[in-house]
Amino acid sequence: MGGIGKTSIAVEFAFSRGDHFDAVFWVNAATLPKLEHSFAEIAVKLGLVDTWESSDHVILRELVKGWLENPQKPVIDDNHAMIQVEAHWLLIFDGADQPEILHDYWPLPSTGSILTTSRDPLSKSIKRYTAVGIDLLSLEDEESAALLWRLCPENDGHIRADAILSLARMSGGIPLMICRMAGFIRHHKLTFAYYLSRCRINPGLLDRLSDGVGASTWSTVMEELEPKPRALLEICAVLGANKIEERIFTSSIPDKDILSGLLLSKSTYISARSTVLRTSLIQHNSNSDEIYVHPIIQGLVWSKISLNRKSVVLSATILLIFRTWEPTSIYQRHMDLTPEDRSQLVPHVIQLERLVQGMNVNLGAPRRIPVAAESGLRSTSPFIKPPGPETPATEGIEFAKLMVDAIWFSETEPLVARAMCLSESRSDKEFLEIYFDTLYLWTDIINKTNRVTPAPDLQWHLLETALKISGHTSFGIFLAARAYNQVGIALCLTDKFANGIKKFIISIEKHDEATPKPEGGIDIEPKVNMALAYWRLGDLARAEEILQGTIDNFDNWEARYGTMNGYFQGRILHAWGNFYHHQGRFNVSAGLHERALQQYEAKFGKDHHKTADMCHKVAQHYILRAEYERARMLIDQGLGIWQREERFHQPELARTTYLKAILAEKCGNKEEAARLTKTAREMRNRVPHATVKTDKEPLTEGDFDEIVAFFAR
């Protein structure tokens, strides 16, 4: 890959190891004429010929090889006589992107060493030429930042390390790009922070720096590729991960020609991959069956594709992704049976959505919905953009299904608008179910992230859609049950518990009517929510009765689905733990909360907001048991999760910060406790629905419990 530092490393090696060699020869091995020219110059330098202009290049080559195979140098011995002794040399073939032309120039083994730089990744596997081969990858962000800071030592890096890291990421980890960036900063006497702000305002600054960092060579190489290798490179350019799973190209054979027949057979793909590998535009990891493409290469390839071709590439890639990750059915999603490999799907779908949006491609007919602004979606959402040129309806529904899967797994909110854009204008069953799922996911994101002021119109719109689907399919009854549960949660989030209970009752009834019957505990969720609503109304007896009915079946679930089945079991344990904790039965609630934390971590991982909820609750138990270090670890884990989505989790941040203040007080750190208490109070007072607490008013954990969602208290 150009600009990655191959030549610079060779130069550094030659200078730093120069004392080990009697002679160092630098050979330009980019083309055969340049190779011939370099060897001719070496022949003159060694005194093998007086001049080479009129000499035969074959003769000059053989003269140089003869010396390299039997190198001699004159020295004066102890008797002051001139004698010949064996010499040690270093021969550097730089830019040998066509390693086969080295065949006639490679000397037989002797006392010399050979260093070759090449963009062809296959060159290191040619046994005759290489003893050791090294793949040079781009620098990590921290390495790039360290290099940039080293090249600009007088800058403000000690103050704005975040600016250095951002610029390092923009460089793509390419050393030559970093050197050019540093040169520009030094020449214009800029600070890191100012240069970063200018790059964000005017991305063209970076484009100008990248000119010459292999870009012209890459463009030439791309233009020379045959249709199939070029198509492979184009698809790699629109995928969302630098490391691309090869199963995208090999797991299924489409029923129609895609991009020059790239995927008509596995052998066709392998042949195309081999061709592109030799250009160094991609790299291959045979151990993980992945292709690596540098982001700068992806951007360059995308910029070279014509507008019409871009639409074709996007549609073909959507079809490939669709066939690789066959979307889960609406039944599987709502039964909590979504395959775990959806995590690998997510970055590709996000990237495709970004590119489609950037081209203003309209895969559906968007309609403005008033609640869009209330949901927190980006203002650049395609949901509110004017329609662009139409694309085939097939890609529209496939793209919508992919996005629903990606949203379901990752809760990536900006994808919601695009999925709705694709499905809301259609009235047929398939699109209607996608539209329902998108609405459901939107409300679920709002509810699960504990937003106390969701858009109520959206909840009712979800219910209306579910009821409409009920007329098309028996499964619509089940969808209506899910919708009523979401509406009930929305009502409880605004403290309308009595009305919420009515919706939970309808949801339970609909679950009982649904066909097929719900599995995995999903039908228990409205019962748990209803119990919590009764609890909040003060009817503890009714709440306990309902919770007891859910927990009675828990052992059967664990036997059937395993102890780590996921969200619904975690919700039951979470609710029971909260209920007993409220009653002061801490020994019982501690075990329930710890099991809930295990369930959430098994289902969502260690960085999910439901996991953060349980980190807070379990940390409370550790503080009660004076296990302060374990409490601190969980509190910090929870705070780290909340801080990633700070705009949605101000109440939770305030509550867990106050818990950290309590921990500091228990550990005898009064100064730290006072500082954290002040911070928690300020955070709490910024929550819109919270009553302001002045500095003179004492704080309790109850003051923070009242500002979070009802099911997290």
Side-chain angles (χ1 to χ4, degrees), residues 191-202:
T191 65
F192 289 127
Y194 179 77
Y195 182 63
L196 175 62
S197 67
R198 298 308 302 165
C199 288
R200 286 173 171 167
I201 295 172
N202 181 15

Side-chain angles (χ1 to χ4, degrees), residues 175-475:
L176 183 54
M177 181 74 167
I178 297 169
C179 292
R180 287 175 177 238
M181 186 181 287
F184 188 91
I185 292 171
R186 289 199 310 269
H187 177 74
H188 294 279
K189 301 186 185 304
L190 305 178
T191 65
F192 289 127
Y194 179 77
Y195 182 63
L196 175 62
S197 67
R198 298 308 302 165
C199 288
R200 286 173 171 167
I201 295 172
N202 181 15
L205 286 174
L206 289 175
D207 294 338
R208 288 195 289 273
L209 287 180
S210 65
D211 289 343
V213 185
S216 58
T217 303
W218 297 334
S219 298
T220 302
V221 169
M222 287 166 50
E223 292 168 1
E224 293 175 350
L225 288 174
E226 294 294 323
K228 290 180 175 63
R230 185 181 179 91
L232 172 60
L233 192 58
E234 289 170 338
I235 292 175
C236 289
V238 302
L239 290 171
N242 297 339
K243 295 179 180 178
I244 298 166
E245 305 89 339
E246 285 195 283
R247 61 181 175 141
I248 293 173
F249 305 101
T250 60
S251 61
S252 63
I253 304 300
D255 54 10
K256 63 180 180 181
D257 191 2
I258 294 183
L259 291 184
S260 306
L262 171 63
L263 299 172
L264 291 181
S265 69
K266 185 173 181 179
S267 61
T268 305
Y269 160 70
I270 293 174
S271 175
R273 183 191 68 188
S274 298
T275 301
V276 182
L277 279 172
R278 289 183 66 88
T279 67
S280 83
L281 293 173
I282 66 173
Q283 294 176 327
H284 179 242
N285 186 332
S286 58
N287 293 326
S288 59
D289 292 327
E290 291 176 331
I291 292 174
Y292 173 81
V293 189
H294 194 280
I296 288 182
I297 297 288
Q298 288 182 308
L300 178 66
V301 173
W302 178 249
S303 70
K304 298 296 181 182
I305 305 175
S306 68
L307 185 62
N308 290 336
R309 177 73 169 177
K310 284 178 178 177
S311 295
V312 175
V313 171
L314 286 171
S315 295
T317 307
I318 288 169
L319 183 58
L320 285 175
I321 298 295
F322 184 84
R323 299 202 177 198
T324 303
W325 284 278
E326 184 176 348
T328 48
S329 68
I330 191 170
Y331 175 81
Q332 286 177 303
R333 284 193 293 274
H334 286 272
M335 292 305 169
D336 205 25
L337 300 174
T338 306
E340 292 299 320
D341 68 351
R342 287 304 180 271
S343 61
Q344 298 168 322
L345 162 72
V346 173
H348 300 310
V349 176
I350 291 175
Q351 172 73 345
L352 287 168
E353 191 277 336
R354 185 183 67 82
L355 293 175
V356 168
Q357 176 177 303
M359 288 181 61
N360 199 23
V361 174
N362 180 27
L363 298 179
R367 182 174 72 240
R368 296 174 184 268
I369 290 185
V371 296
E374 299 181 45
S375 72
L377 291 179
R378 298 173 182 172
S379 59
T380 56
S381 166
F383 199 62
I384 55 176
K385 290 183 72 169
E390 291 292 339
T391 56
T394 301
E395 281 73 26
I397 192 166
E398 288 168 345
F399 198 23
K401 288 180 176 180
L402 286 172
M403 282 192 289
V404 168
D405 256 14
I407 299 164
W408 192 275
F409 189 90
S410 68
E411 298 181 356
T412 307
E413 190 166 352
L415 292 180
V416 172
R418 173 63 67 177
M420 293 181 72
C421 176
L422 296 179
S423 59
E424 65 171 347
S425 63
R426 300 284 293 269
S427 59
D428 51 284
K429 173 187 171 183
E430 195 167 21
F431 270 100
L432 203 55
E433 287 187 352
I434 294 173
Y435 184 53
F436 169 85
D437 241 11
T438 309
L439 276 171
Y440 181 89
L441 287 165
W442 196 352
T443 60
D444 199 47
I445 291 170
I446 291 172
N447 292 343
K448 281 186 177 179
T449 50
N450 303 355
R451 300 184 213 176
V452 182
T453 55
D457 291 345
L458 183 64
Q459 312 284 349
W460 291 110
H461 188 47
L462 171 68
L463 184 55
E464 290 171 1
T465 305
L467 294 175
K468 187 184 296 186
I469 296 175
S470 298
H472 291 274
T473 170
S474 59
F475 191 54

Side-chain angles (χ1 to χ4, degrees), residues 3 76 79 89 113 168 235 256 269 349 426 429 434 485 510 522 564:
I76 299 175
N79 298 320
W89 50 262
S113 300
I235 292 175
K256 63 180 180 181
Y269 160 70
V349 176
R426 300 284 293 269
K429 173 187 171 183
I434 294 173
N485 180 64
K510 293 289 184 181
I522 192 172
M564 293 298 172

